[in-house]
């Protein structure tokens, strides 16, 4: 009865407040912290001092690139002008970097109009294969358990290893039977994928939010089949959200690293960055010397006054043409500002090429070049 008296938007706000409090309380458990030095394996002159929970160290390593290793020893805590500091608590002059981000796709128009913003190759593949697939809702316990056992769990383990974060069995059942939907993606009479999702209402706006996708081993062990099936899985969820009158399709959370493969994949579907449901942050103070190189190695998103920004680096070595090519992937929707930290003056052609990445957006971000040591 009480649940029925609370509006969906208020329930969302209460969940967000509770999640934020849990994150703050978790950070306050200082006995779970460590202070560790991280160094790049690519012979970077910069090193990284990490101060935070041991369980969050892997997130920091992932955000700053896969080529990071832990160093131990008495000298590991030395701080120099080339040391970047990564902390779970705010520190002066640091960037507030989200651990993960959401991509949302605006709906309210025919699927054909939304598809017009997709890459041509993706549109071609979807048109070619769409007619062979269908979605089928699962409500019975046997079907739910089978989807969890044969698709959700093995796919998460295949992607993230033994330490993968898995949905609990009772949570899968609640989503499937009470708070959302569990769908199978059928190719003929064969289940080749599944997806879980639920309704999220924020300030009166309705989102269809993907939670988890799953695939059987015969699909995820074959990169070609996985690519096609994954595209169809997203497309069917998008199509269903449009048909059922949702305002946005929330593609779920991804690692908040600009060059992350999954994040880049979602971007190609026309999604815009969104901070919905994001409460985990690192506070990263750039090195006083070598910040441009640091950001060249690991571009970073950051939150500035509730707006999303992107920080890129222009070091001494690469030419303007090489920099322009490298940053072609940085054309994200939903940015407020793009900062270019420069170890040398940027050429006008480079600045123009960066501006052109966003020229077709309704609200393109401002580009600001910052001199850097």
């Amino acid at each position: 009865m009480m649940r029925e008296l609370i509006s969906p938007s208020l329930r969302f706000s209460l969940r967000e407040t509770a999640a934020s409090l849990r994150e703050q309380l978790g950070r306050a458990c200082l006995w779970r912290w460590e202070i560790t030095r991280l160094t790049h394996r690519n012979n970077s002159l910069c090193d990284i001092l990490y101060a935070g929970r041991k369980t969050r160290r892997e997130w920091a390593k992932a955000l700053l690139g896969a080529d990071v290793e832990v160093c131990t020893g008495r000298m590991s805590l030395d701080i120099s002008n080339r040391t970047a500091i990564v902390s779970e608590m705010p520190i002066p002059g640091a960037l507030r970097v989200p651990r993960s981000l959401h991509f949302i796709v605006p709906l309210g128009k025919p699927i054909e109009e939304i598809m017009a913003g997709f890459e041509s190759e993706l549109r071609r593949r979807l048109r070619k294969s769409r007619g062979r697939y269908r979605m089928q809702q699962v409500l019975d316990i046997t079907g739910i358990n089978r989807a969890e056992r044969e698709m959700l769990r093995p796919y998460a383990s295949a992607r993230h290893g033994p330490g993968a974060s898995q949905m609990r069995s009772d949570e899968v059942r609640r989503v499937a039977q009470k708070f959302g939907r569990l769908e199978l993606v059928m190719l003929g009479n064969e289940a080749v994928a599944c997806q879980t999702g639920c309704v999220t209402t924020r300030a009166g706006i309705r989102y269809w939010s993907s939670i988890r996708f799953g695939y059987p081993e015969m699909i995820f062990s074959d990169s070609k089949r996985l690519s096609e099936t994954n595209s169809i899985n997203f497309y069917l969820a998008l199509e269903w959200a449009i048909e059922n009158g949702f305002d946005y399709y929330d593609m779920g959370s991804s690692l908040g690293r600009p060059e992350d493969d999954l994040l880049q994949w979602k971007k190609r579907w026309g999604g815009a960055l969104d901070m919905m449901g994001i409460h985990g942050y690192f506070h990263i103070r750039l090195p006083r010397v070598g910040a441009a190189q640091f950001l060249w190695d690991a571009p970073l998103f950051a939150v500035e006054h509730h707006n999303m920004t992107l920080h890129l680096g222009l070091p001494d070595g690469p030419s303007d043409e090489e920099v322009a090519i490298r940053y072609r992937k940085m054309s994200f929707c939903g940015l407020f500002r793009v900062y270019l930290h420069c170890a040398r003056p940027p050429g006008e052609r480079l600045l123009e090429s960066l501006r052109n990445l966003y020229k077709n957006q309704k609200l393109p971000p401002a580009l600001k070049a910052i001199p850097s040591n």
Side-chain angles (χ1 to χ4, degrees), residues 20-303:
S20 179
L21 287 173
R22 285 195 298 271
E23 176 66 25
Q24 293 178 46
L25 290 173
R27 289 200 309 265
C29 298
L30 297 181
W31 59 91
R32 296 176 180 169
W33 277 43
E34 65 177 8
I35 299 178
T36 306
R37 184 181 177 186
L38 310 174
T39 59
H40 288 279
R41 292 176 183 163
N42 60 356
N43 298 319
S44 172
L45 295 176
C46 297
D47 65 343
I48 304 157
L49 188 68
Y50 171 72
R53 285 169 287 179
K54 294 179 181 179
T55 55
R56 297 297 185 266
R57 186 212 300 159
E58 293 302 315
W59 283 88
K61 291 168 65 176
L63 281 172
L64 296 172
D67 56 348
V68 180
E69 61 182 352
V70 179
C71 292
T72 58
R74 293 184 62 184
M75 300 301 293
S76 64
L77 303 185
D78 288 354
I79 298 177
S80 71
N81 285 336
R82 293 188 176 274
T83 299
I85 299 177
V86 180
S87 171
E88 284 208 86
M89 291 293 188
I91 51 179
L95 304 178
R96 189 178 182 220
V97 177
R99 291 201 302 260
S100 58
L101 290 168
H102 281 244
F103 269 93
I104 59 171
V105 180
L107 305 179
K109 53 187 175 182
I111 187 69
E112 292 77 15
E113 291 185 27
I114 295 175
M115 284 183 65
F118 297 173
E119 293 180 350
S120 58
E121 175 61 21
L122 177 58
R123 293 199 305 270
R124 186 192 68 78
R125 285 193 286 114
L126 288 171
R127 291 192 183 103
K128 181 180 178 180
S129 57
R130 167 64 183 92
R132 299 187 292 125
Y133 294 87
R134 60 185 173 86
M135 282 206 308
Q136 177 178 305
Q137 186 178 9
V138 182
L139 289 167
D140 64 286
I141 291 296
T142 300
I144 294 169
N145 291 342
R146 184 176 180 182
E148 180 196 3
R149 182 179 65 252
E150 298 182 4
M151 288 188 261
L152 290 171
R153 286 188 172 276
Y155 179 59
S157 296
R159 284 186 61 204
H160 302 294
S165 174
Q166 301 279 5
M167 288 183 71
R168 300 192 313 273
S169 297
D170 62 327
E171 185 181 5
V172 176
R173 289 193 291 270
R174 284 200 303 271
V175 169
Q177 296 180 323
K178 295 182 179 181
F179 305 122
R181 295 172 69 93
L182 169 62
E183 305 275 2
L184 295 179
V185 176
M186 307 297 296
L187 178 59
N189 294 320
E190 182 181 29
V192 295
C194 72
Q195 55 177 276
T196 58
C198 65
V199 180
T200 300
T201 304
R202 178 172 64 168
I205 298 173
R206 296 174 71 241
Y207 299 75
W208 179 250
S209 300
S210 287
I211 301 173
R212 290 290 177 92
F213 282 16
Y215 303 91
E217 186 175 0
M218 66 177 182
I219 297 295
F220 66 69
S221 61
D222 183 331
S223 59
K224 185 176 180 181
R225 289 197 72 184
L226 177 60
S227 177
E228 176 180 313
T229 310
N230 199 32
S231 295
I232 284 294
N233 208 356
F234 264 100
Y235 179 84
L236 291 175
L238 180 64
E239 191 176 63
W240 186 90
I242 294 171
E243 291 172 355
N244 287 273
F246 286 89
D247 300 297
Y248 290 91
Y249 172 47
D250 173 16
M251 302 174 79
S253 64
S254 302
L255 176 69
R257 185 184 182 209
E259 295 175 302
D260 178 68
D261 289 342
L262 179 58
L263 188 144
Q264 286 285 331
W265 189 87
K266 291 179 179 181
K267 182 192 71 173
R268 292 196 290 272
W269 283 76
L273 290 166
D274 191 88
M275 294 184 292
M276 178 171 62
I278 304 304
H279 306 286
Y281 296 88
F282 289 116
H283 300 270
I284 301 180
R285 198 189 75 183
L286 300 175
R288 292 187 174 89
V289 176
Q293 182 65 52
F294 184 85
L295 290 167
W296 170 259
D297 293 335
L300 293 172
F301 291 117
V303 175

Side-chain angles (χ1 to χ4, degrees), residues 339-355:
Y339 293 96
L340 184 65
H341 298 251
C342 306
R344 60 174 177 81
E348 187 54 42
R349 289 184 63 182
L350 170 59
L351 295 176
E352 189 62 24
S353 69
L354 292 176
R355 293 189 188 99

